[in-house]
Amino acid sequence: MSQYVLAVDQGTTSTRAIIFDRAGTIVSVGQKEHEQIFPRAGWVEHNPAEITVNTRDVIGQALAKANLNIGDLAAVGITNQRETVVVWDRHTGEPVYNAIVWQDTRTQPIVERLGALGGGAERYKAKVGLPLATYFSGPKVTWILENVEGAREKAENGDLLFGNMDTWTLWNLTGGVNGGVHITDVTNASRTMLMDLDTLAWDEEIAAEMRIPLSMLPEIRSSSEVYGAGGPGGVLKGVPIAGILGDQQAATFGQICYEIGTAKNTYGTGNFMLLNTGEEKVASENGLLTTVCYKLGDAAPIYALEGSIAITGALVQWLRDNLGIIGSAPEIEQLAATVDDNGGAYFVPAFSGLFAPYWRADARGALVGLTRFVDKGHLARAVLEATAFQTREVLDAMNADSGVDLTELKVDGGMVQNELLMQFQADILDVPVVRPQVAETTALGAAYAAGLAVGYWDGLDDLRVNWAEDKRWEPKLDAGERERTYRTWKKAVTKTFDWVDDDVE
């Protein structure tokens, strides 16, 4: 049997290919960033063609670094930035517009128009588990059909295809216009606002209200099965592509959160906390999302509650790229360590409005509590603390919805290498924070799903023995200080509300 599984991790800022062995250990990595396109305030786009080229490149990088070829791969899994939308011509393979990224807020008028049909933000929530918000895929497709010349006519004629980035990546890897398969999995479908969580099928009424032809939509499949093989002449020729999980569900799967009540938090461009609720679909009363966690082949779907935070790692990137205060992301820890606290400054990064638990599209970022005492060290600390405070808000909501307080938090993603942040996270949550030995759990989860489908791993018990703890942070902050600083954060959040007026695009 082939000795390795490869995962393609198509993320918000870069695309990576990671090769894993049976122990879930990283063998090699290929990575390439892609351009972040900001046509106007609130708009965020990617070039899908650039991402396709990068995907091929990073697969080649990973194989070359490990001195392997495609014959050494048992299967390939895909994980992806979830709500980022591509619409393309099925005959030419050309996108009709750039990919509209999950952070993009241009669809707010469409969201409001749909809510005005009745029910407001809750219009579809009972069916799809999601509030009406700019975050999700469906309204982005509507925007493209309404604003790109000729797109509506082509869509009505059956010439256009839609997909989140998993579908676009799979279609191209399996041949594109030469036999590419047009498929998504249940986790990605559950982020479109178009899939019924009970039936796991597209809801024709919602699609009709959004004026999205059903012919555009990919076939919904499980998260772990063989969808097709690498296309002829491609970098993965003949290799089974057998796993798809949206990035946050993939991280949950890679963190071995298979029991009800287990949870993880991923620290990436944004932060995403998922709590496994088993075969029960739990409706949130506290601003969380109900979503599909994973579905393995013919087995019943497993659901989750999710707390989504739009801007965490992206705030560090903003400090680097827009302000030039740091030269690289890791430098923020050194800069923040030059001060003992935030100096009274709080940074609420509502660049794309506020996601969980507020869902306020009218919010915008605010830096508050400034005095002349505050320097760039305090600002760096406030940037890091914003991630921890937002996570505390989501954890409070999760505890309220589930009725069970989490006793520890498993963490993963790029920011978990920041020791100062992880310690403050434990302090502000008042629970231990645990980092696994393999922090790349998003790619690992996709690899696990693909490997299970082809028998590379026999079952979940094989995966459980692979998980190992790397480091644990215990809370150290005085209880009074914890609640004082958290109370001030909550006050800072209120300063971001009602910023966007009706006459502002």
Side-chain angles (χ1 to χ4, degrees), residues 115 118-128 130-132 284-285 287 359:
E122 306 285 301
R123 179 164 181 78
Y124 307 126
K125 194 171 183 185
K127 278 187 178 179
V128 304
L130 313 172
L132 262 169
S284 174
E285 302 296 328
W359 298 105

Short mmCIF file of all heavy atoms in Angstrom, two decimals, residues 115 118-128 130-132 284-285 287 359:
data_model
loop_
_atom_site.label_atom_id
_atom_site.label_comp_id
_atom_site.label_asym_id
_atom_site.label_seq_id
_atom_site.Cartn_x
_atom_site.Cartn_y
_atom_site.Cartn_z
N GLY A 115 -34.17 39.35 4.19
CA GLY A 115 -34.77 39.41 5.52
C GLY A 115 -36.11 40.12 5.51
O GLY A 115 -37.02 39.78 6.29
N GLY A 118 -39.61 38.49 5.36
CA GLY A 118 -40.23 37.97 6.58
C GLY A 118 -39.23 37.23 7.43
O GLY A 118 -38.46 36.42 6.93
N GLY A 119 -39.21 37.56 8.72
CA GLY A 119 -38.32 36.84 9.64
C GLY A 119 -36.99 37.49 9.88
O GLY A 119 -36.24 37.05 10.76
N GLY A 120 -36.64 38.51 9.10
CA GLY A 120 -35.37 39.20 9.31
C GLY A 120 -34.19 38.25 9.22
O GLY A 120 -34.16 37.35 8.37
N ALA A 121 -33.23 38.44 10.11
CA ALA A 121 -32.01 37.63 10.10
C ALA A 121 -32.28 36.15 10.36
O ALA A 121 -31.47 35.29 10.03
CB ALA A 121 -31.01 38.17 11.12
N GLU A 122 -33.44 35.85 10.96
CA GLU A 122 -33.76 34.46 11.31
C GLU A 122 -34.53 33.74 10.20
O GLU A 122 -34.96 32.60 10.40
CB GLU A 122 -34.63 34.43 12.58
CG GLU A 122 -34.03 35.19 13.76
CD GLU A 122 -32.89 34.43 14.41
OE1 GLU A 122 -33.11 33.30 14.86
OE2 GLU A 122 -31.76 34.98 14.45
N ARG A 123 -34.68 34.36 9.04
CA ARG A 123 -35.59 33.83 8.01
C ARG A 123 -35.34 32.36 7.69
O ARG A 123 -36.28 31.57 7.55
CB ARG A 123 -35.50 34.67 6.73
CG ARG A 123 -36.40 34.14 5.61
CD ARG A 123 -36.63 35.14 4.51
NE ARG A 123 -37.52 34.62 3.47
CZ ARG A 123 -38.84 34.53 3.58
NH1 ARG A 123 -39.45 34.95 4.68
NH2 ARG A 123 -39.57 34.04 2.59
N TYR A 124 -34.09 31.96 7.52
CA TYR A 124 -33.79 30.58 7.11
C TYR A 124 -33.17 29.74 8.22
O TYR A 124 -32.80 28.59 8.00
CB TYR A 124 -32.82 30.59 5.91
CG TYR A 124 -33.25 31.44 4.76
CD1 TYR A 124 -32.41 32.43 4.23
CD2 TYR A 124 -34.51 31.28 4.16
CE1 TYR A 124 -32.80 33.21 3.15
CE2 TYR A 124 -34.91 32.06 3.09
CZ TYR A 124 -34.05 33.02 2.59
OH TYR A 124 -34.44 33.81 1.53
N LYS A 125 -33.03 30.32 9.41
CA LYS A 125 -32.18 29.70 10.44
C LYS A 125 -32.67 28.32 10.87
O LYS A 125 -31.87 27.41 11.10
CB LYS A 125 -32.07 30.63 11.66
CG LYS A 125 -30.95 30.20 12.61
CD LYS A 125 -30.69 31.21 13.69
CE LYS A 125 -29.52 30.76 14.55
NZ LYS A 125 -29.29 31.66 15.69
N ALA A 126 -33.98 28.12 10.96
CA ALA A 126 -34.50 26.82 11.40
C ALA A 126 -34.10 25.71 10.42
O ALA A 126 -33.87 24.57 10.82
CB ALA A 126 -36.02 26.88 11.53
N LYS A 127 -34.00 26.05 9.14
CA LYS A 127 -33.63 25.05 8.13
C LYS A 127 -32.12 24.88 7.99
O LYS A 127 -31.61 23.77 7.89
CB LYS A 127 -34.19 25.44 6.76
CG LYS A 127 -35.63 25.07 6.51
CD LYS A 127 -35.98 25.36 5.06
CE LYS A 127 -37.41 24.97 4.74
NZ LYS A 127 -37.76 25.27 3.33
N VAL A 128 -31.40 26.01 7.97
CA VAL A 128 -29.99 25.94 7.59
C VAL A 128 -29.03 26.18 8.75
O VAL A 128 -27.82 26.00 8.59
CB VAL A 128 -29.68 26.94 6.45
CG1 VAL A 128 -30.59 26.70 5.26
CG2 VAL A 128 -29.79 28.40 6.92
N LEU A 130 -28.17 28.94 10.16
CA LEU A 130 -27.37 30.16 10.02
C LEU A 130 -28.28 31.38 9.97
O LEU A 130 -29.36 31.34 9.38
CB LEU A 130 -26.57 30.11 8.71
CG LEU A 130 -25.79 28.82 8.40
CD1 LEU A 130 -25.23 28.89 6.98
CD2 LEU A 130 -24.70 28.59 9.41
N PRO A 131 -27.82 32.49 10.53
CA PRO A 131 -28.56 33.74 10.35
C PRO A 131 -28.26 34.31 8.97
O PRO A 131 -27.24 34.00 8.36
CB PRO A 131 -27.99 34.64 11.44
CG PRO A 131 -26.57 34.18 11.58
CD PRO A 131 -26.61 32.69 11.35
N LEU A 132 -29.15 35.16 8.48
CA LEU A 132 -28.85 35.90 7.26
C LEU A 132 -27.70 36.86 7.55
O LEU A 132 -27.81 37.73 8.41
CB LEU A 132 -30.09 36.69 6.82
CG LEU A 132 -30.97 36.07 5.75
CD1 LEU A 132 -32.27 36.84 5.63
CD2 LEU A 132 -30.25 36.02 4.41
N SER A 284 -28.92 27.37 18.42
CA SER A 284 -28.29 28.29 19.35
C SER A 284 -29.24 29.41 19.76
O SER A 284 -29.96 29.94 18.93
CB SER A 284 -27.03 28.89 18.73
OG SER A 284 -26.50 29.89 19.59
N GLU A 285 -29.19 29.74 21.04
CA GLU A 285 -29.94 30.90 21.55
C GLU A 285 -28.98 32.06 21.85
O GLU A 285 -29.39 33.08 22.38
CB GLU A 285 -30.68 30.51 22.84
CG GLU A 285 -31.66 29.35 22.68
CD GLU A 285 -32.80 29.68 21.74
OE1 GLU A 285 -33.20 30.86 21.70
OE2 GLU A 285 -33.27 28.77 21.04
N GLY A 287 -26.23 33.30 19.64
CA GLY A 287 -25.43 33.86 18.56
C GLY A 287 -24.44 32.91 17.91
O GLY A 287 -23.55 33.35 17.17
N TRP A 359 -23.23 39.36 15.53
CA TRP A 359 -23.77 39.44 14.17
C TRP A 359 -24.26 40.86 13.87
O TRP A 359 -25.40 41.11 13.56
CB TRP A 359 -24.85 38.39 13.93
CG TRP A 359 -24.28 37.02 14.10
CD1 TRP A 359 -24.46 36.17 15.14
CD2 TRP A 359 -23.37 36.36 13.20
NE1 TRP A 359 -23.71 35.02 14.97
CE2 TRP A 359 -23.03 35.11 13.78
CE3 TRP A 359 -22.80 36.71 11.97
CZ2 TRP A 359 -22.15 34.21 13.17
CZ3 TRP A 359 -21.93 35.83 11.37
CH2 TRP A 359 -21.61 34.59 11.96
#
